[in-house]
Amino acid sequence: MKNRTKYILAIVTVIVVAAIAIPLYVKSQHTTFRAEVTDHMTMLDKIDSLQIRKITRISSAEEEEVRLEDPKEIQNVLKLFRDLELKKVKEARPFNDLPDYYEIRIVINKEGRFTEHFGVWVYSENTISTYNGAATRDAFGDFEITNEFNFNELERIFNKLKEDAA
């Protein structure tokens, strides 16, 4: 009778631990663009610049770049990413079938004391990578975009900014 009680207690313990651990693990795999990039800013921080590079796989000589320092233009670009929901994946770089992708570098002035850098690589409508220059652990993150993201809108904004700069 005592062995049976121990088995039942062990099974109940495993079920309770699994019921708690599995939802926590699943939740830790989901995040947002805000949590990964913009939530690291305080009210006193200011975005100094935002640089967008279009990187073409076929020829690196065709790389194009736009640098923004106007806060309104920077906010217009960041609005595109504002509501992105992300799911952590092992690798988000499907280079085999992509002709080009975008690299976005964000430089944040932290309360006038130092700067912090963030990087965002947008590979397609469903894959993105991030880099947090201030992170000491897990600075890079690869994600799958789980909600609607318009990659063509990013291309349109980039081309418009490039024309305005010329």
Side-chain angles (χ1 to χ4, degrees):
M1 187 72 172
K2 289 187 179 188
N3 283 340
R4 183 176 178 199
T5 306
K6 288 180 183 178
Y7 287 132
I8 292 173
L9 185 59
I11 290 172
V12 169
T13 303
V14 168
I15 291 172
V16 168
V17 169
I20 293 171
I22 291 173
L24 289 176
Y25 175 75
V26 169
K27 186 178 180 190
S28 73
Q29 298 302 307
H30 293 273
T31 186
T32 63
F33 182 82
R34 285 182 182 177
E36 292 298 316
V37 179
T38 57
D39 280 356
H40 297 281
M41 296 178 59
T42 66
M43 294 297 288
L44 299 175
D45 296 346
K46 177 182 164 246
I47 298 177
D48 278 345
S49 66
L50 184 134
Q51 174 186 0
I52 305 173
R53 286 178 43 201
K54 181 178 182 179
I55 301 170
T56 304
R57 257 195 56 180
I58 299 166
S59 169
S60 62
E62 294 185 27
E63 288 182 9
E64 302 168 292
E65 183 176 307
V66 175
R67 182 179 175 93
L68 303 173
E69 293 182 354
D70 180 30
K72 287 184 180 182
E73 289 180 345
I74 292 172
Q75 289 305 320
N76 284 337
V77 172
L78 290 178
K79 279 182 188 176
L80 183 62
F81 300 98
R82 178 179 56 205
D83 296 324
L84 281 186
E85 295 175 8
L86 308 172
K87 178 183 175 191
K88 192 175 274 288
V89 295
K90 291 187 187 237
E91 188 170 335
R93 299 180 192 102
F95 285 129
N96 301 342
D97 56 347
L98 294 178
D100 50 22
Y101 61 95
Y102 290 90
E103 175 186 14
I104 301 168
R105 293 184 185 177
I106 304 168
V107 178
I108 299 171
N109 185 334
K110 298 292 281 181
E111 301 175 11
R113 295 180 291 162
F114 60 93
T115 59
E116 198 170 88
H117 300 269
F118 287 95
V120 178
W121 291 266
V122 183
Y123 301 110
S124 68
E125 289 186 351
N126 27 352
T127 54
I128 191 171
S129 294
T130 62
Y131 169 74
N132 180 352
T136 56
R137 190 179 130 203
D138 298 331
F140 288 96
D142 292 330
F143 302 95
E144 175 185 318
I145 300 170
T146 59
N147 63 342
E148 189 72 28
F149 175 68
N150 191 349
F151 189 77
N152 294 330
E153 181 68 14
L154 177 60
E155 289 179 340
R156 188 192 67 74
I157 289 172
F158 177 78
N159 290 330
K160 182 181 180 295
L161 291 171
K162 191 174 67 171
E163 288 174 7
D164 291 347

